[in-house]
Structure formats: C-alpha cells, structure tokens
Amino acid sequence: VDHQKADWVSIHEQICQLLIPIRTSLPFLLSEKERKHGTEQLVKRQKYIIDLAYSTAQEFVLGGKHKEAIPAALHALRFSTEVYGSNSVQLVPAYLLLAEASTGVGHLPEASKYLSQAQWIVLRTPDCSVAVQYKLHRGLGLLCAAEGNFEQALYHLANDIYLASSTFGLKSIEASGGYFHMANVFFRQNKMDIANSLYAEV
C-alpha cells in the first residue's frame, strides 16, 4: 500500500490515463499500414511518458524530495528500456536520476548499482556525448562524497568540471554544478579557504 501510494503521488496520477492506450494491444486484423501507424503512435506515447516521468522526477530531486522522485524515475527507465533497448545510451539519464534520488534517501548500494549500469553503457558507447559523460562523473562524485570517500569524489568532480567546461565554457551553468559539489566536499574536509573560493566561482 505504501509503495502504491508513493507511486501515485510521484507519477502515476499524471500518467494513469496515458497508460491505457499503451497497455491495450492492437487488433490482429489490421492492414500493414494501420499496424505501422499504430506502432508509431505507441512509440510516440511512450516517449511522451518518458519525458513526463523524467521531468517530474527531476523536479522532485531539485526540490529535495528524493523519495518521491524514485517511482517517477523508475517509470522513465522502464519506458526508455521498452523504446530504446536495455543497452541504449538513452537510458543513462534515468539511471543517473535514480542514483541521485537513491543517494538522497541514503540507499547507497542502489545508487552504486544504478551508476554502474550507467557507466557500463557509457563505456560501451564510443560516441557518447560529453553532456552524458560529465553528468556520469557528477553522479559518481556525489556517491563517493556520500560514502565519505572524498579523494575519489574530488577526482570525479574534477572530471565533471573539465568535461562540462571544455564543452560549454568555463563560466557555464553546466560547469557551476561541479564547482558547487566540489566546494561542498572541501567544506566537509574543513578546507574552508578552497571551499569559499569555489562557492565564489559558482
């Protein structure tokens, strides 16, 4: 009951009506053209649900409601898997969001599992975009920081900043997130001068 309530509050209420046509199978006696059109409509609906579930989960994470984000992020992952396949780089954003939400509620083993999946997909995708790579390093950095492994956290956050700034520029919003998380790590190490200069950079 608790899981159902959490799922309902998180995302299900928004997508409940959208699931009906997706779960309804196409009639058997259709022409090739009608079947193709039906399949295209199905994929379009699934992609809409992916975007809706992902953005909802992202809003919850940004609002500090990590527990509420998990069911929405799981829906984004499930539908991404259905549309793109289980090894597609399109799954990485959902895995990273699940990792961040899991870290936020203190479920570090789950966060580690999601990050491992994301990392494995990125390693198998030679032309993976820098936008995905820097977010992966950020996720790994946040997990290491949550585990108290500050040196490893700084390594990943340095990679995050390098990748983000080389693509989007040193003064970009994308790079500022890495500076902010790195400042938090230095703050937790009581290296206040470094932390304050990084906060100023943000």
Side-chain angles (χ1 to χ4, degrees):
V1 173
D2 286 345
H3 286 291
Q4 286 176 333
K5 199 182 289 180
D7 183 48
W8 182 260
V9 168
S10 174
I11 189 67
H12 206 91
E13 187 177 7
Q14 292 179 60
I15 64 170
C16 192
Q17 291 302 312
L18 300 170
L19 292 173
I20 295 166
I22 287 175
R23 299 286 181 240
T24 308
S25 55
L26 291 170
F28 184 69
L29 299 168
L30 288 178
S31 69
E32 184 66 34
K33 189 179 176 183
E34 287 171 323
R35 257 200 312 278
K36 189 180 177 199
H37 177 72
T39 304
E40 286 170 1
Q41 290 302 308
L42 174 67
V43 170
K44 198 180 281 185
R45 287 187 183 107
Q46 288 173 319
K47 286 181 177 178
Y48 178 78
I49 290 175
I50 292 166
D51 291 342
L52 181 62
Y54 183 82
S55 61
T56 301
Q58 206 168 30
E59 280 178 37
F60 279 129
V61 166
L62 291 172
K65 297 178 177 179
H66 296 97
K67 190 177 181 182
E68 289 88 340
I70 292 173
L74 283 169
H75 277 291
L77 178 64
R78 186 165 74 228
F79 282 103
S80 295
T81 305
E82 283 181 28
V83 173
Y84 302 109
S86 57
N87 297 324
S88 171
V89 75
Q90 304 280 0
L91 275 63
V92 172
Y95 277 126
L96 296 179
L97 206 48
L98 277 165
E100 192 173 351
S102 297
T103 301
V105 292
H107 297 161
L108 301 186
E110 283 94 335
S112 179
K113 183 182 77 173
Y114 293 132
L115 284 168
S116 294
Q117 283 294 121
Q119 195 171 25
W120 184 79
I121 291 170
V122 167
L123 289 172
R124 287 179 50 121
T125 312
D127 57 343
C128 183
S129 75
V130 173
V132 170
Q133 291 179 50
Y134 92 81
K135 287 177 184 171
L136 173 62
H137 278 289
R138 184 169 299 174
L140 291 164
L142 289 173
L143 176 65
C144 290
E147 292 172 335
N149 186 351
F150 297 130
E151 293 310 310
Q152 198 64 28
L154 291 172
Y155 166 79
H156 285 298
L157 293 170
N159 278 317
D160 160 13
I161 294 165
Y162 169 75
L163 290 166
S165 59
S166 65
T167 304
F168 302 104
L170 283 169
K171 303 291 182 190
S172 64
I173 289 287
E174 290 82 2
S176 71
Y179 287 123
F180 177 74
H181 294 301
M182 189 178 264
N184 289 342
V185 172
F186 282 119
F187 181 84
R188 288 176 65 186
Q189 291 180 313
N190 282 328
K191 296 178 179 175
M192 298 311 294
D193 50 341
I194 304 172
N196 287 332
S197 75
L198 285 169
Y199 285 133
E201 184 69 27
V202 173

